């Protein structure tokens, strides 16, 4: 075989690493030289990357996967084992999870694979790659509505109109505002930042690096860590949305800050609400002394009040090892209702793919415009009761039934009230469309882009959602004057004023 330039670089890299490893060894036996069983391939990556991307290498070294081999992990009892395979693949069993294990995994499935110093490497490590060792989490995540967040938005013409009305550039001419369609860059910086982009290979580029010229793929929608990202191997989502690279820690995912990145705006204020709740308060005051790394996670010993993960995701055990709640990466099995109003709160959808939903008018919405649920696509009462019970089991670890019953009775009342307040606003927008003061669906126009339409959107998207989430997660401050009931009532008055100012009388 002829050895071309790339091949020489590769040999050089290996020699370079051996030298570096040796130096580290002489210098105190720390770092890579002391780490257990790194594969030869990963050692080659490290040889260059300790210089090319030192932050990535040090981040990886701090993570559990740089210290644990699948084989060692299998020795732990199932309840504290952090992998979910029965038997690790032979080649991967006795080495830690290094650069090559992830970035060359399933190379043939990755459209983003590229020749990189003798290896077929891909940049975008996906749920499909993690599934080799974590199949349970990946399967469950596939059932999570989050993994569908890209397509639920982009595959629904009505939701896309909402995106267009939010992001498109407006220009003013002849007493008219015209709004252009947003471009992909803009979308990647707006809705798709959280929902996820579509990552595709758009060609190759040559970059000059400290190790010489190299070819790299040009990726669209990159960078992105959205929960429903469409990956170049066809899989959905990014595990790094909650387990940031390259530590991929459980600790980070269990802390509420992780969720705050996407669950904070007036449409989705779970974090803000949690932050002012008693639970969030206890976390802020006492959380510094809690153990966020233990598996299993023991109530009372490791933590004393719930974080987002405790109520929505975690496996929680008691001091004597009884499992109070099973871990779930799908989350919906604890959610009876979809509080997020589209445009009303409603029973949770049956499928995480919400693009299949049609109401009786044929609109891709889970309720009628007047609020009645599109029941065919939503879970029934029996399933709702089951999910409520699963959630309540978590509460009941720290509260008595009376406390919990009282809480959910209030939430139900709030759901009814906010739906009714949204209906009042909807009746006004229907009147505005009917009388021709705004152009809506019947005129085949964007129903979200005119002044009164934006008021209507704020009613259900901001104020009703905020009030409901404040009730569900006991952050009362947000349910009243901050984006809450005050604005629900004021907004209805403002909408009526707008109609009257056009001369609408009845
Ligand atoms: C000969 C040195 C060398 C070797 C060996 C090497 N890399 Fe790299 N790699 C680099 C350099 C230099 C870059 C460019 C960094 C930059 O863009 O600033 C890079 C970039 C990358 C990227 C990012 C590509 C992009 O476009 O974002 C990934 C992923 C990567 N390497 C993974 C690996 C893996 C996995 C291995 C081992 C299988 C490996 N590398 C081996 C030098 C090397
Ligand atoms: C929405 C945030 C979120 C996303 C996205 C997410 N996780 Fe997790 N993950 C968590 C939380 C929270 C925990 C802690 C669960 C617990 O306390 O029992 C966790 C725990 C884990 C664990 C440890 C399980 C154990 O046995 O201790 C693994 C492995 C894991 N996740 C893998 C993944 C993989 C693979 C993906 C992508 C398919 C993923 N996670 C996506 C939040 C997330
Ligand atoms: C457990 C799997 C895993 C391991 C081990 C791993 N990576 Fe990654 N790597 C990822 C994921 C996931 C991403 C980010 C993709 C995303 O954002 O969804 C990533 C991203 C990257 C990137 C692009 C990030 C950027 O900011 O440009 C580089 C470069 C990279 N990894 C190099 C390495 C190197 C070098 C090592 C070894 C020290 C390594 N990776 C080990 C999974 C892994
Ligand atoms: C900061 C992160 C973030 C951004 C940016 C964002 N969203 Fe969302 N979106 C969320 C979250 C979180 C949810 C789920 C809320 C819940 O269930 O309570 C969601 C859910 C949705 C849903 C429900 C989809 C379904 O059928 O399940 C729609 C529609 C939606 N968003 C539209 C948009 C539009 C349009 C934009 C851009 C104008 C946007 N979002 C920008 C975080 C975001
Ligand atoms: C080759 C097998 C393998 C692959 C591939 C792999 N992991 Fe792991 N992972 C492990 C092992 C081994 C552990 C440690 C298990 C233990 O300690 O019980 C682990 C632990 C974890 C944990 C728990 C970390 C902690 O702090 O407790 C998370 C989260 C995780 N992996 C996420 C991921 C994600 C995300 C991917 C894909 C980007 C991935 N893993 C790919 C083998 C793998
Ligand atoms: C990168 C952004 C992002 C992060 C980080 C994130 N989420 Fe989400 N989450 C979303 C989006 C977007 C949706 C809605 C997807 C849809 O409706 O299509 C969602 C949906 C949800 C839902 C489901 C709502 C339903 O009715 O089914 C829950 C619960 C949730 N997230 C909780 C969390 C928790 C807890 C964390 C932190 C451990 C977290 N999320 C981290 C973006 C994110
Ligand atoms: C005390 C337990 C608890 C804590 C802590 C908690 N939640 Fe919730 N969450 C709930 C309950 C209960 C609901 C309402 C469930 C239902 O009715 O379906 C809910 C609803 C939600 C929803 C709405 C889903 C939908 O129906 O649209 C999201 C998103 C969410 N929580 C995210 C979070 C995030 C992010 C955090 C942390 C910042 C958090 N939660 C903290 C219990 C909790
Ligand atoms: C890990 C323990 C724990 C779990 C789990 C838990 N809570 Fe709490 N909760 C507490 C503590 C501690 C307080 C503070 C009590 C006090 O004020 O002294 C509290 C307070 C509350 C309050 C009163 C808020 C206030 O400001 O007055 C409500 C309501 C509540 N919890 C409901 C719930 C619900 C509903 C769930 C389940 C979805 C739940 N909790 C889960 C520990 C927990």
């Amino acid at each position: 075989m002829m050895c071309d330039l790339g091949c020489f670089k590769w040999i050089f890299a290996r020699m370079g690493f051996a030298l570096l490893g040796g130096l580290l060894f002489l210098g105190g036996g720390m770092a890579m030289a002391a780490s257990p069983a790194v594969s030869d391939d990963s050692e080659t990556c490290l040889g260059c990357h300790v210089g090319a991307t030192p932050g990535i290498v040090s981040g990886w070294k701090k993570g559990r996967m740089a210290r644990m081999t699948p084989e060692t992990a299998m020795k732990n009892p199932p309840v504290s084992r952090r992998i979910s395979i029965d038997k690790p693949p032979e080649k991967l069993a006795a080495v830690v999870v290094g650069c090559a294990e992830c970035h060359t995994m399933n190379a043939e499935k990755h459209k983003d694979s590229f020749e990189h110093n003798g290896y077929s490497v891909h940049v975008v490590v996906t749920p499909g790659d993690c599934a080799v060792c974590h199949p349970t989490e990946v399967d469950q995540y596939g059932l999570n509505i989050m993994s569908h967040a890209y397509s639920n938005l982009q595959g629904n013409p009505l939701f896309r109109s909402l995106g267009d009305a939010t992001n498109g550039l407006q220009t003013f001419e002849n007493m008219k505002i015209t709004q252009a369609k947003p471009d992909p860059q803009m979308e990647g910086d707006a809705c798709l930042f959280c929902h996820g982009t579509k990552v595709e290979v758009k060609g190759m580029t040559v970059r000059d690096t400290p190790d010489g010229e190299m070819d790299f793929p040009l990726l669209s929608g990159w960078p992105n860590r959205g929960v429903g990202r469409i990956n170049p191997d066809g899989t959905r989502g990014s595990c790094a949305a909650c387990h940031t690279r390259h530590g991929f820690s459980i600790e980070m995912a269990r802390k509420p800050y992780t969720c705050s990145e996407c669950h904070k705006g007036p449409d989705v204020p779970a974090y803000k609400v949690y932050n002012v709740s008693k639970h969030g308060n206890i976390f802020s005051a006492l959380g510094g002394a809690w153990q966020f790394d233990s598996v299993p996670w023991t109530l009372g010993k490791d933590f004393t009040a719930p974080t987002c993960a405790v109520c929505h995701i975690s496996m929680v055990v008691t001091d004597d090892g009884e499992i109070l709640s099973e871990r779930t990466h799908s989350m919906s099995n604890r959610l009876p209702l979809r509080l997020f109003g589209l445009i009303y709160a409603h029973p949770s959808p049956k499928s995480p793919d919400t693009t299949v939903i049609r109401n009786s008018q044929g609109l891709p919405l889970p309720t009628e415009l007047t609020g009645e649920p599109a029941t065919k696509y939503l879970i029934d009462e029996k399933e709702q009761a089951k999910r409520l019970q699963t959630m309540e089991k978590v509460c009941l670890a720290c509260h008595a039934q009376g406390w919990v019953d009282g809480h959910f009775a209030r939430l139900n009342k709030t759901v009814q009230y906010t739906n009714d307040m949204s209906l009042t606003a909807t009746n006004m927008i229907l009147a505005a469309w009917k009388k021709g003061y705004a152009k809506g669906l019947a005129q085949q126009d964007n129903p979200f882009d005119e002044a009164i339409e934006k008021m209507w959107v704020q009613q259900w998207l901001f104020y009703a959602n905020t009030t409901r989430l404040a009730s569900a997660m006991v952050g009362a401050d947000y349910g009243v004057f901050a984006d809450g009931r005050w604005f629900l009532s004021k907004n209805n008055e403002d909408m009526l004023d707008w109609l009257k100012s056009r001369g609408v009388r009845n």
Side-chain angles (χ1 to χ4, degrees):
M1 191 186 90
M2 288 274 292
C3 200
D4 61 10
L5 187 63
C7 165
F8 276 119
K9 263 192 222 150
W10 175 76
I11 291 170
F12 179 75
R14 289 195 149 212
M15 283 166 49
F17 177 70
L19 190 66
L20 185 88
L23 284 175
L24 282 172
F25 185 72
L26 288 173
M30 45 165 307
M32 269 103 62
S35 30
V38 177
S39 69
D40 287 351
D41 292 343
S42 286
E43 279 188 351
T44 310
C45 318
L46 287 163
C48 282
H49 276 271
V50 77
T53 53
I56 286 178
V57 173
S58 62
W60 168 76
K61 276 200 275 183
K62 288 202 182 76
R64 192 174 181 92
M65 282 189 273
R67 285 179 271 125
M68 265 284 181
T69 66
E71 210 169 61
T72 333
M74 294 309 281
K75 293 189 182 128
N76 281 324
V79 73
S80 51
R81 195 183 292 161
R82 304 180 194 200
I83 49 174
S84 52
I85 26 170
D86 298 331
K87 194 174 178 298
E90 211 173 299
K91 186 166 167 263
L92 302 168
V95 290
V96 300
V97 192
C99 323
E101 280 63 42
C102 284
H103 284 276
T104 65
M105 182 77 79
N106 302 324
E108 68 293 347
K109 292 190 185 145
H110 276 266
K111 294 214 175 97
D112 54 331
S113 286
F114 64 108
E115 199 290 319
H116 184 60
N117 305 297
Y119 294 93
S120 182
V121 165
H122 53 270
V123 187
V124 193
V125 180
T126 68
D129 302 327
C130 314
V132 173
C133 301
H134 304 292
T136 304
E137 287 74 16
V138 174
D139 287 351
Q140 290 177 344
Y141 190 67
L143 297 173
N144 191 326
I145 202 164
M146 284 196 210
S147 67
H148 289 262
Y150 171 88
S151 40
N152 282 348
L153 187 54
Q154 297 298 83
N156 183 318
L158 215 50
F159 298 163
R160 277 190 88 133
S161 309
L162 182 59
D164 293 348
T166 311
N167 304 326
L169 177 71
Q170 294 175 315
T171 45
F172 173 70
E173 214 175 334
N174 298 332
M175 287 308 288
K176 238 181 84 188
I177 288 178
T178 313
Q179 192 160 23
K181 286 249 192 278
D183 61 42
Q185 292 280 40
M186 176 93 75
E187 289 184 324
D189 218 10
C191 313
L192 303 186
F193 192 91
C194 302
H195 283 251
T197 53
K198 187 171 192 174
V199 181
E200 288 175 307
V201 181
K202 292 293 178 190
M204 294 294 292
T205 183
V206 181
R207 284 205 305 264
D208 204 13
T209 80
D211 299 304
E213 276 190 354
M214 291 181 198
D215 292 327
F216 295 103
L218 280 170
L219 301 173
S220 67
W222 191 252
N224 181 266
R225 220 96 35 258
V227 286
R229 193 181 66 198
I230 307 292
N231 299 309
D233 63 348
T235 60
R236 294 166 182 274
S238 158
C239 307
C242 295
H243 303 288
T244 55
R245 55 105 177 143
H246 272 83
F248 302 103
S249 77
I250 199 168
E251 169 171 5
M252 176 150 191
R254 280 173 171 169
K255 289 187 174 167
Y257 314 119
T258 300
C259 325
S260 80
E261 178 182 340
C262 303
H263 288 272
K264 202 190 231 160
D267 51 338
V268 291
Y271 176 79
K272 285 196 290 198
V273 164
Y274 171 78
N275 216 12
V276 300
S277 75
K278 207 58 133 194
H279 298 138
N281 212 311
I282 299 171
F283 163 77
S284 303
L286 308 175
W290 295 355
Q291 294 305 317
F292 283 94
D293 187 46
S294 327
V295 176
W297 213 16
T298 309
L299 177 91
K301 183 165 141 266
D302 294 327
F303 66 94
T304 56
T307 64
C308 321
V310 171
C311 289
H312 290 287
I313 305 170
S314 293
M315 175 174 74
V316 172
V317 305
T318 62
D319 251 343
D320 49 16
E322 187 206 339
I323 296 178
L324 285 172
S325 52
E326 297 284 353
R327 177 180 308 115
T328 174
H329 272 70
S330 109
M331 284 149 84
S332 55
N333 41 10
R334 299 184 190 176
L335 295 173
L337 295 177
R338 184 101 213 245
L339 298 180
F340 187 75
L342 296 163
I343 56 183
Y344 303 92
H346 54 82
S348 288
K350 281 184 188 158
S351 161
D353 172 5
T354 62
T355 59
V356 298
I357 298 176
R358 292 289 174 278
N359 70 12
S360 73
Q361 282 185 291
L363 294 174
L365 288 178
T367 67
E368 306 302 326
L369 283 182
T370 43
E372 303 78 7
T375 39
K376 191 177 151 201
Y377 301 95
L378 310 176
I379 59 169
D380 60 20
E381 276 177 20
K382 212 171 121 208
E383 177 65 19
Q384 286 179 57
K386 194 172 134 207
R387 292 185 182 191
L388 180 63
Q389 207 184 10
T390 312
M391 176 65 90
E392 283 194 356
K393 214 167 161 227
V394 181
C395 319
L396 290 171
C398 304
H399 297 294
Q401 188 74 51
W403 181 285
V404 176
D405 287 346
H407 171 79
F408 283 103
R410 265 188 208 150
L411 173 59
N412 283 339
K413 185 85 195 186
T414 303
V415 167
Q416 193 56 52
Y417 166 81
T418 49
N419 276 354
D420 289 347
M421 290 294 265
S422 296
L423 178 62
T424 306
T426 304
N427 284 332
M428 282 190 268
I429 200 71
L430 290 172
W433 285 337
K434 197 166 155 214
K435 289 174 188 289
Y437 291 94
K439 283 192 284 190
L441 294 168
Q443 291 82 16
Q444 309 223 314
D445 196 70
N446 189 323
F448 308 120
D449 59 349
E450 295 169 68
I452 189 164
E453 292 169 341
K454 293 204 174 201
M455 289 182 196
W456 171 60
V457 170
Q458 288 186 12
Q459 186 77 352
W460 44 269
L461 190 61
F462 295 175
Y463 311 138
N465 278 341
T466 298
T467 308
R468 281 191 289 267
L469 289 198
S471 176
M473 290 172 281
V474 269
D477 206 3
Y478 283 96
V480 191
F481 291 115
D483 287 341
R485 291 171 180 82
W486 172 260
F487 286 96
L488 275 172
S489 60
K490 178 178 181 298
N491 196 45
N492 276 339
E493 297 289 351
D494 288 347
M495 284 182 75
L496 180 64
D497 250 20
W498 188 96
L499 283 171
K500 282 185 172 167
S501 73
R502 306 289 134 132
V504 184
R505 284 296 166 259
N506 50 54

